[in-house]
Amino acid sequence: MTPLNRRFLLADDDADDASIFCEALTAIAPVMECYTAGNGIELFEMLLRHLPHPPDVIFLDINMPVMNGWQCLRKLKADADFRDIPVIMYSTSSAKKDIDMAYNLGVRVFLTKPEDVRELGKILEIVANSSKDSLPGQLKGFKSVKLN
């Protein structure tokens, strides 16, 4: 499978997690674009001012300073310019209340950060090659993917 040229935007305040994420994405295909923001405010600044094109998918951590993932997700889904960009919640949490809330707020997939970078790479490859509608079904079977 050859990944499409896609733009990924990750909002995560953990610099190491962001670096691993972008490295895993680049290993799939160097043509993929990986942008990172340290919180929800930075994510919106990138969307509004710094990105030449909107991302194809947004990965969103829950626990971030300034504007957390929940606040950011609500704001994304309320904005006509951004509400159709698929959002994948990307968190260390696997709490049912977080998973349920994320799906109720409109995420496509809830992904608990994989401990294995190979699993992360496989997940990112599937995301790169899937349409937003087929994404949840394509990710069934990964232990870090929590479907509702």
Side-chain angles (χ1 to χ4, degrees):
M1 206 180 328
T2 303
L4 303 172
N5 184 6
R6 297 267 174 107
R7 291 173 297 279
F8 286 52
L9 175 54
L10 168 68
D12 192 330
D13 63 318
D14 187 312
D16 290 335
D17 284 352
S19 178
I20 290 167
F21 182 95
C22 287
E23 286 174 20
L25 189 61
T26 303
I28 296 166
V31 297
M32 298 246 241
E33 298 173 44
C34 185
Y35 300 98
T36 60
N39 59 59
I41 296 291
E42 288 180 18
L43 180 138
F44 274 94
E45 287 175 2
M46 292 185 79
L47 288 171
L48 294 169
R49 293 183 192 89
H50 302 293
L51 293 181
H53 305 284
D56 295 294
V57 64
I58 294 173
F59 284 76
L60 193 57
D61 188 19
I62 294 173
N63 297 312
M64 298 181 290
V66 186
M67 179 188 283
N68 68 34
W70 300 124
Q71 295 163 324
C72 186
L73 180 58
R74 285 183 180 98
K75 189 171 177 176
L76 283 166
K77 294 304 177 182
D79 191 308
D81 291 333
F82 307 125
R83 73 171 52 118
D84 292 330
I85 299 171
V87 177
I88 295 175
M89 196 59 78
Y90 184 66
S91 175
T92 57
S93 175
S94 60
K96 182 167 177 22
K97 69 177 181 59
D98 289 336
I99 295 165
D100 291 345
M101 182 185 304
Y103 281 110
N104 287 335
L105 292 173
V107 300
R108 297 301 301 157
V109 173
F110 191 101
L111 175 61
T112 300
K113 293 179 181 178
E115 293 179 20
D116 182 355
V117 74
R118 290 180 306 232
E119 181 177 352
L120 175 60
K122 289 175 186 175
I123 290 168
L124 293 177
E125 184 172 14
I126 290 169
V127 171
N129 286 289
S130 298
S131 70
K132 69 179 180 178
D133 294 328
S134 70
L135 195 51
Q138 295 290 325
L139 291 172
K140 280 184 182 176
F142 285 98
K143 69 178 184 178
S144 55
V145 173
K146 310 300 183 204
L147 300 174
N148 69 344

